[in-house]
Amino acid sequence: MERWRVLRTLQRSGLLDTAAGLLVGLYASLLFRGLVAGSGLPSFEHGVFRDANIAFYISYATMIDAWGSLCVPTWFGFFDTVRFYPPLGNMLIYLLGAVLDGDYVRAAMLAYMVVLVAFVSGFYTLIYTLTGSRLAGLLAALLLPLVHGYASTIALYWEYNRLLGEAFMFHALARLHAFMERGDRRLALSAAAYMALVLLSNLVAFIEALALALATVMYWARRHLAEGAGPEELLYLAQRLALASLFFLGLTLWWLAPAIAPYGLGHYLRIKTPLGFKARVVALALQSGALPPLWSPAVQLPLLVAGAVALIIHLLLRSRGSVLAYYAAALAVLIAVYGQGLRLLPSLGAVLAAAVASLPPAVAERVGGRYRWVAAAAAMIPAMLLAGFYLGAYLGVYSTLLRPDYSFMGSDEYRVAVWLRDNLPEGCKAYLMHGPRFRGGMWVNVFAPRVEQVLGGYVEGALPGVGDEYLRLDYIIKETGDWYTAYQLMKKLGVVYLVVDRAWMESHWGSVVERLEKRGLIEPVDEVNKQLGYSMVYRVVNATCTDGSRAPGLFECLALPSRIVGAGLSAASMLLFARWLRRLED
């Protein structure tokens, strides 16, 4: 009889898990349905086209397809599309686009939709694992897209790869938490596999994941020590974590070694934002109260207050949700010390939302008895108030800004790209300024993948000795008045056209562009300029360029010494991992 009761309990639990997962997936699908309900690109009409980072990720796919190689001459003179930027998300768009007969724009919209659903579902899994409560997981999933910084990240900046990395991060942290609680080696290896997927998706998400993983280990180390665990128990966990780390290296060194080889790790951490500037951004958001400006990554004030109170309650109750206080502390430190820390403010908001969402089971467990459901219902009030208010605030944001359309065809970026596609000779290059309004460098290769531009989408990928002069030209044009060096560099690099931002020109009196025009070294191209509203195209006088650019074949592209070394390191790590695993099993 007892056996059947246990079986029924397990079946009921499985059905509830399935129902909860479907409910979360349905919620996310309805919230983000505009991505697949419409067609086209991020809306120019509604103001998201300019800042939508997904432009770069589509460009990766279109360039690989157009040149027939993973290495292309389109950015910085030469660009390896799988070497420097984590390749997983970009290759997903490329492969999906290949299935869709080369429709990489449609592929990107579908991939983004899948990522957003996985992102919300992954957060449910994490909070359910941390708290043991489906209710907490459901409330947290409900609140996640309503964190202001994530509304900005999702609907305004379209940070596809970052959100893909964080979707994997949620699963990695869930499995790490379960491993630290139960000691099951398979959970540690699963966490390592998900951490590898995070790294291969986005570097910011990986740095965030490392900080939260460290917080998880510290939380459980303290808890195990408080419960009387001795050195042997902690050594057991440390050995399994070391084994999982070796597995992680085996899965990632093939990419990590060639990515780091030219510069070292410091190059990827070169962005330094002063702490005072971060404080001013946060202060401005707090002054905005319940609804900060959409461009801001900040956490809205009501959620900040409610989340901070919830974290204190969890710590006082010593509930399972108290691990979220460790997460919040880790993120606060990372936001302060990491150069791109402001981008992690939405993650802090997610932790605060999870703290509010997990109050009902924590309070119910402490109260117990017949009043536990009354206590849980009372503890749900803050989460429901936040959800009710911010659903009303952000439903319109997602339904409007996350719906692609064809208004981009009225943009200068599209018109310039089409004109360059038809007029730029093979082997010649165009300089497209990244200015206050004009973002041609982001979009040109979406519409014209064979147009070679001076700049590109990922500065870290400009190879030493190849991309240096391209970046130098950009610096000279924007930051100096050295017209002579700029002109000589343009002739050397084969730059035939300059496309500059009109607003930038108006605010930079005596710029290089103005001086070149006065000396007759560049001239405006009236046939296209009369179609443009906020940019200007100039032709370089007496420009010269090569007979034609060539993309190296697949083997030539992949057969780099650092890539071969990376593959060898991955193989060696896997071999050591397999031997250590066998020893543990014997």
Side-chain angles (χ1 to χ4, degrees):
M1 196 66 181
E2 182 65 26
R3 178 182 175 185
W4 287 110
R5 188 180 296 112
V6 171
L7 183 60
R8 282 196 300 271
T9 300
L10 291 174
Q11 289 174 336
R12 179 172 175 269
S13 176
L15 288 173
L16 288 174
D17 288 340
T18 301
L22 289 173
L23 191 60
V24 171
L26 178 62
Y27 165 66
S29 298
L30 291 173
L31 196 60
F32 307 128
R33 67 187 183 279
L35 280 168
V36 293
S39 60
L41 287 166
S43 178
F44 177 74
E45 179 184 357
H46 293 294
V48 295
F49 177 80
R50 186 184 67 178
D51 294 313
N53 288 313
I54 203 166
F56 293 125
Y57 314 140
I58 301 171
S59 294
Y60 273 81
T62 60
M63 292 188 302
I64 292 170
D65 180 64
W67 291 94
S69 175
L70 295 173
C71 295
V72 297
T74 325
W75 291 352
F76 310 111
F78 180 88
F79 191 82
D80 188 332
T81 60
V82 293
R83 184 175 182 184
F84 299 100
Y85 195 91
L88 188 59
N90 298 331
M91 293 310 296
L92 175 60
I93 291 176
Y94 172 72
L95 294 173
L96 185 56
V99 172
L100 296 174
D101 295 324
D103 189 348
Y104 296 107
V105 169
R106 187 63 175 168
M109 298 304 112
L110 289 173
Y112 196 29
M113 175 72 173
V114 170
V115 165
L116 290 176
V117 173
F119 172 70
V120 177
S121 298
F123 196 59
Y124 163 79
T125 298
L126 173 61
I127 303 308
Y128 178 25
T129 303
L130 296 184
T131 64
S133 167
R134 294 184 192 88
L135 176 61
L138 288 171
L139 290 174
L142 173 66
L143 291 173
L144 180 63
L146 309 181
V147 173
H148 177 81
Y150 274 126
S152 174
T153 299
I154 292 169
L156 186 61
Y157 298 112
W158 293 54
E159 290 199 44
Y160 158 76
N161 278 323
R162 154 103 181 267
L163 295 164
L164 174 63
E166 290 189 343
F168 288 131
M169 178 188 74
F170 295 147
H171 289 283
L173 294 173
R175 281 154 179 77
L176 178 61
H177 182 91
F179 162 74
M180 292 298 296
E181 182 177 19
R182 304 174 205 166
D184 187 336
R185 182 181 65 229
R186 292 170 297 182
L187 289 169
L189 298 181
S190 178
Y194 274 109
M195 285 293 282
L197 292 173
V198 177
L199 175 59
L200 295 174
S201 298
N202 185 264
L203 292 175
V204 174
F206 179 68
I207 291 170
E208 174 188 0
L210 281 179
L212 295 178
L214 179 60
T216 303
V217 171
M218 291 176 63
Y219 166 80
W220 276 107
R222 182 203 62 80
R223 184 165 168 177
H224 285 315
L225 287 171
E227 292 172 354
E232 289 186 2
E233 289 86 350
L234 295 180
L235 180 61
Y236 173 90
L237 294 174
Q239 285 179 335
R240 270 64 187 173
L241 286 176
L243 177 68
S245 299
L246 196 56
F247 183 49
F248 165 81
L249 292 175
L251 293 173
T252 57
L253 279 173
W254 64 270
W255 175 78
L256 198 57
I260 292 174
Y263 311 109
L265 277 173
H267 184 72
Y268 293 92
L269 303 174
R270 76 190 193 290
I271 297 177
K272 307 293 182 185
T273 306
L275 186 59
F277 177 79
K278 295 177 183 178
R280 286 194 296 274
V281 170
V282 173
L284 177 63
L286 294 179
Q287 291 171 10
S288 303
L291 288 171
L294 190 59
W295 56 262
S296 171
V299 181
Q300 52 267 57
L301 186 59
L303 176 58
L304 184 64
V305 173
V309 172
L311 287 175
I312 293 171
I313 293 173
H314 282 297
L315 289 172
L316 292 174
L317 296 179
R318 297 184 180 180
S319 70
R320 293 184 57 148
S322 59
V323 66
L324 294 168
Y326 284 72
Y327 281 12
L331 286 170
V333 171
L334 193 58
I335 289 167
V337 303
Y338 177 40
Q340 299 188 58
L342 286 174
R343 295 179 67 186
L344 300 177
L345 282 172
S347 303
L348 179 59
V351 170
L352 295 173
V356 175
S358 54
L359 272 181
V363 171
E365 183 179 357
R366 173 51 63 96
V367 172
R370 68 174 67 178
Y371 296 109
R372 67 183 184 277
W373 298 115
V374 176
M380 278 182 64
I381 292 174
M384 299 312 296
L385 288 175
L386 287 170
F389 178 77
Y390 285 111
L391 269 174
Y394 293 117
L395 277 177
V397 170
Y398 287 123
S399 63
T400 302
L401 303 189
L402 212 60
R403 181 178 293 272
D405 60 33
Y406 287 93
S407 61
F408 68 86
M409 298 180 74
S411 70
D412 279 15
E413 287 82 359
Y414 176 74
R415 290 169 175 163
V416 166
V418 171
W419 189 87
L420 287 173
R421 181 193 65 197
D422 297 335
N423 292 274
L424 183 69
E426 188 81 14
C428 300
K429 292 179 173 60
Y431 170 81
L432 294 102
M433 177 181 286
H434 188 93
R437 290 198 63 193
F438 182 71
R439 303 295 170 85
M442 287 177 62
W443 286 103
V444 63
N445 297 122
V446 173
F447 309 120
R450 290 187 68 89
V451 166
E452 299 175 42
Q453 58 166 313
V454 168
L455 301 176
Y458 193 60
V459 174
E460 287 84 348
L463 288 174
V466 177
D468 296 348
E469 289 186 313
Y470 294 89
L471 295 172
R472 183 175 171 231
L473 174 61
D474 181 53
Y475 173 79
I476 291 171
I477 289 174
K478 287 182 176 177
E479 305 296 337
T480 79
D482 189 356
W483 62 269
Y484 179 80
T485 303
Y487 182 66
Q488 294 303 317
L489 262 180
M490 286 190 289
K491 291 186 68 175
K492 179 181 179 181
L493 299 176
V495 178
V496 176
Y497 295 108
L498 277 77
V499 191
V500 298
D501 189 300
R502 287 179 189 262
W504 181 89
M505 285 280 290
E506 291 168 0
S507 63
H508 287 74
W509 182 82
S511 67
V512 163
V513 178
E514 186 177 323
R515 296 181 185 190
L516 287 169
E517 185 179 7
K518 284 182 178 179
R519 288 166 174 79
L521 299 176
I522 62 173
E523 55 189 22
V525 184
D526 293 334
E527 65 177 283
V528 63
N529 286 337
K530 63 185 179 182
Q531 305 173 34
L532 305 177
Y534 49 90
S535 61
M536 285 275 290
V537 179
Y538 292 90
R539 180 183 291 109
V540 180
V541 176
N542 296 324
T544 57
C545 45
T546 62
D547 295 332
S549 298
R550 182 186 70 87
L554 183 62
F555 178 78
E556 184 182 353
C557 176
L558 295 179
L560 294 172
S562 58
R563 195 168 264 142
I564 295 170
V565 170
L569 291 173
S570 272
S573 298
M574 280 300 192
L575 182 61
L576 290 173
F577 163 74
R579 289 182 176 179
W580 193 356
L581 184 61
R582 281 197 299 269
R583 188 181 305 169
L584 289 175
E585 290 175 343
D586 290 342

